[in-house]
Amino acid sequence: QVQLVEAGGGLVQPGGSLRLSCAASRSIFSINAMGWYRQAPGKQRELVARITSGGMINYADSVKGRFTISRDNGKNTVYLQMNSLKPEDTAVYYCNAEAWDPARFRSLGYWGQGTQVTVSS
């Protein structure tokens, strides 16, 4: 089982910055992608950013140009640099890891516990 440990959430003023990190424990399965999702009250969980082990990245349109995702494959750690934060970025941010189980030909998803990001003056 993969364990994801998140850090970096907190309270920040509009226009400020935060950097989230998520470290995945060792697993027998290869982690092929990691990403960040967020969920605001009354909203569905949405993809914020995702990066594959090969370096392919996609962002939600709402964060393009403001957020940057990066990954250290050797450390199985993913980061989310969040700049120019807006109140609408307020949400619980969840780290996600996608692992591939070749023996059973399946993709497995793992989730962090979530970290609160609040953007408020």
Side-chain angles (χ1 to χ4, degrees):
Q1 181 177 338
V2 175
Q3 294 182 343
L4 304 177
V5 180
E6 302 178 22
L11 174 65
V12 66
Q13 293 186 341
S17 298
L18 286 173
R19 185 172 186 254
L20 306 182
S21 65
C22 173
S25 65
R26 293 180 180 178
S27 174
I28 191 173
F29 306 120
S30 175
I31 297 177
N32 296 319
M34 298 184 73
W36 294 93
Y37 292 70
R38 67 186 181 187
Q39 187 167 22
K43 299 283 189 176
Q44 289 188 322
R45 187 173 298 186
E46 65 173 346
L47 174 69
V48 177
R50 177 178 178 270
I51 183 169
T52 72
S53 60
M56 295 180 61
I57 297 173
N58 64 294
Y59 295 99
D61 289 340
S62 60
V63 307
K64 286 183 178 178
R66 300 188 297 119
F67 292 8
T68 302
I69 189 171
S70 60
R71 180 182 179 184
D72 184 332
N73 289 336
K75 297 180 179 179
N76 285 331
T77 301
V78 66
Y79 306 91
L80 185 67
Q81 179 66 46
M82 304 184 292
N83 298 325
S84 302
L85 283 161
K86 304 175 180 179
E88 50 263 46
D89 295 318
T90 296
V92 177
Y93 284 69
Y94 296 91
C95 179
N96 171 261
E98 301 171 22
W100 177 251
D101 181 357
R104 305 176 77 165
F105 297 96
R106 62 178 179 175
S107 180
L108 303 174
Y110 301 91
W111 295 95
Q113 78 281 2
T115 184
Q116 178 70 47
V117 172
T118 303
V119 184
S120 176
S121 60

